[in-house]
Amino acid sequence: MGLLDKHLPQIRAYSGILEHGADPFNVKFDAVLSPTEAELNGQRVILLGTNNYLGLTFDPDCVEASVEAVRRWGTGTTGSRIANGSFGAHLAMEKALARFYGRKHAMVFTTGYQANLGGISGLVGRGDHLILDADSHASIYDAARLSQAEVIRFRHNDPDDLAKRLRRMGDAAKGSLIVVEGIYSMMGDVAPLKEFVEVKKEAGAYLLVDEAHSMGVLGDKGRGLAEAAGVEADVDFIVGTFSKSLGAVGGFLVSDEDNFDLLRIVSRPYMFTASLPPAVIASTLTALKRLEEDSSLRVRLQANADQLWNGLRDMGYAVGPHASPITAVVMPDQAMAVTMWNALLQNGVYLNLAIPPATPDNRPLLRSSVSAAHTREQIDTVLSVFEQLGQEFGLLKRARRASA
Ligand SMILES: Cc1ncc(COP(=O)(O)O)c(C=O)c1O
């Protein structure tokens, strides 16, 4: 009996997926040609499965800033900020984020995953209560485990269920930490944040919003859902990532909370890992400036999101509740999801296959995300491939019959 034998059921399920064609969880790009195109197995594909919302990964200013920083500061920091010191870039990034969000404090982490891990586990611990949306990202669930706080889950995007659970907690609700996301990463749906804020105020709880997929996407200034919903003053903590709209890697936490800097000496995912290389921060700072100064990127992103979502819905595909840069197509079963994923790839469209248990309600999904950099023609191409394959596999007829 080997240590890995416990994973045999997953390995069998994985082998079943591989029988349909390519390996959806081990895609290898031969070349990435632009934010929207790549070469995969010698074939040119449209990238519809990235989180490159503003299309800044090849922005000449971002690339140049990064190259200049790598020449000046070297390739890496080789250690954590607590043990091995901060570079000017870390402090500049924290200053820029605090200014962008109009908050007193900001803290940069090495990934968005670690921002949730380090932020949440620094804020709550054994004896505290952490109140989570049931569809929370894995990084939030992992943060809960690390924190050792007592976890209470409420129904996804349901303020009434949250209120009910807080009422049941009695006095313990006061001072507990509620965590929700801006845009949810699988279905692209948005949290009813105004209603959540009312509930949290009534209970005297704290509220953290993970804006990983909504920073640069929502709000007049691109600050995310809290800005778009007009409730920034009532959101106590915002987590975000550099790996989506900002086109790099890294994460952050911002807040006005007193004694915020204590987190630097209690948060293990901040203390015990190497800090971001200055070259990564240089491109991220440049991307943040672009996000702030060029609102046309958000306008283009929304137009592309509308085009894809409306097109798929009008064909009869089951999509999320509203247009969003993330559009998930719900497949009737896992075998069809895998077949469609392979067929889309063969027809030059790369997107994400998402299967249970990683999906809400255990539904198999084809998850796509658009970028401001996609052209209308690229999205037209994607739609015509979906239409052709939907006809071929009888998916559209089935969906139309179901909705009739
Ligand atoms: C809601 C949410 N939070 C956090 C993360 C982690 O971010 P990163 O990939 O930058 O570590 C993700 C990643 O997809 C996410 O979807």
Side-chain angles (χ1 to χ4, degrees), residues 366-386:
L366 297 173
R367 177 203 183 265
S368 61
S369 48
V370 288
S371 164
H374 282 114
T375 61
R376 281 198 79 76
E377 292 70 33
Q378 284 176 315
I379 296 177
D380 280 339
T381 304
V382 168
L383 287 172
S384 67
V385 172
F386 261 102

Side-chain angles (χ1 to χ4, degrees), residues 51 53 110-116 135-140 180-186 210-213 239-244 248-251 326 367:
N51 300 300
Y53 298 123
T110 307
T111 64
Y113 177 87
Q114 283 160 305
N116 269 332
D135 285 359
S136 290
H137 187 259
S139 57
I140 296 171
V180 299
E181 296 171 32
I183 295 179
Y184 278 81
S185 61
M186 283 293 151
D210 178 345
E211 302 266 21
H213 293 272
V239 161
T241 175
F242 303 159
S243 71
K244 305 185 195 302
V249 70
I326 300 168
R367 177 203 183 265

Side-chain angles (χ1 to χ4, degrees), residues 46-337:
I46 294 176
L47 292 172
L48 201 73
T50 68
N51 300 300
N52 201 351
Y53 298 123
L54 301 183
L56 293 178
T57 46
F58 284 83
D59 179 82
D61 292 341
C62 294
V63 171
E64 205 42 55
S66 197
V67 169
E68 199 187 310
V70 86
R71 290 200 195 286
R72 178 151 175 224
W73 294 95
T75 52
T77 61
T78 71
S80 95
R81 290 172 65 182
I82 292 296
N84 309 85
S86 292
F87 287 46
H90 300 120
L91 305 176
M93 191 74 229
E94 286 171 347
K95 202 164 154 200
L97 285 165
R99 187 188 39 72
F100 178 60
Y101 280 99
R103 303 277 176 159
K104 288 189 200 147
H105 313 288
M107 192 169 161
V108 165
F109 292 83
T110 307
T111 64
Y113 177 87
Q114 283 160 305
N116 269 332
L117 230 56
I120 293 171
S121 69
L123 292 169
V124 293
R126 203 189 290 275
D128 294 327
H129 289 81
L130 187 55
I131 325 292
L132 304 184
D133 184 292
D135 285 359
S136 290
H137 187 259
S139 57
I140 296 171
Y141 278 113
D142 291 355
R145 282 198 212 176
L146 185 66
S147 74
Q148 303 191 45
E150 187 173 328
V151 176
I152 295 167
R153 298 195 310 167
F154 60 93
R155 231 179 288 131
H156 174 55
N157 271 356
D158 188 338
D160 291 337
D161 193 46
L162 171 63
K164 191 172 81 190
R165 283 166 203 275
L166 287 166
R167 271 196 304 273
R168 274 195 211 144
M169 288 167 63
D171 289 346
K174 200 169 157 54
S176 62
L177 178 66
I178 302 165
V179 179
V180 299
E181 296 171 32
I183 295 179
Y184 278 81
S185 61
M186 283 293 151
M187 295 304 294
D189 51 334
V190 165
L193 200 56
K194 255 194 160 115
E195 290 82 349
F196 280 143
V197 160
E198 288 312 311
V199 176
K200 89 112 197 188
K201 286 207 289 200
E202 175 97 26
Y206 291 96
L207 177 62
L208 181 153
V209 180
D210 178 345
E211 302 266 21
H213 293 272
S214 34
M215 178 196 200
V217 173
L218 298 178
D220 275 353
K221 304 282 180 210
R223 290 195 295 262
L225 179 61
E227 185 202 351
V231 296
E232 286 176 288
D234 292 309
V235 172
D236 305 285
F237 303 96
I238 289 180
V239 161
T241 175
F242 303 159
S243 71
K244 305 185 195 302
S245 286
L246 298 174
V249 70
F252 64 88
L253 174 72
V254 298
S255 178
D256 283 327
E257 190 69 13
D258 290 341
N259 299 322
F260 181 86
D261 281 330
L262 275 180
L263 286 172
R264 297 186 197 273
I265 51 163
V266 298
S267 171
R268 297 169 68 84
Y270 176 84
M271 293 160 67
F272 296 110
T273 196
S275 62
L276 282 172
V280 169
I281 297 189
S283 82
T284 306
L285 265 173
T286 311
L288 180 62
K289 193 156 172 275
R290 192 68 201 288
L291 183 162
E292 286 186 85
E293 289 173 356
D294 188 357
S295 59
S296 74
L297 291 174
R298 275 190 295 291
V299 175
R300 282 218 299 279
L301 175 64
Q302 191 55 50
N304 287 344
D306 290 344
Q307 190 189 349
L308 183 68
W309 186 85
N310 285 320
L312 290 169
R313 187 207 46 190
D314 293 350
M315 273 174 220
Y317 279 107
V319 288
H322 47 74
S324 150
I326 300 168
T327 297
V329 179
V330 183
M331 289 284 105
D333 52 55
Q334 184 162 311
M336 180 49 74

Side-chain angles (χ1 to χ4, degrees), residues 316 331-333 336 390 393-404:
M331 289 284 105
D333 52 55
M336 180 49 74
F393 296 123
L395 288 170
L396 304 183
K397 246 191 299 171
R398 215 186 299 187
R400 284 197 190 117
R401 254 205 319 272
S403 65

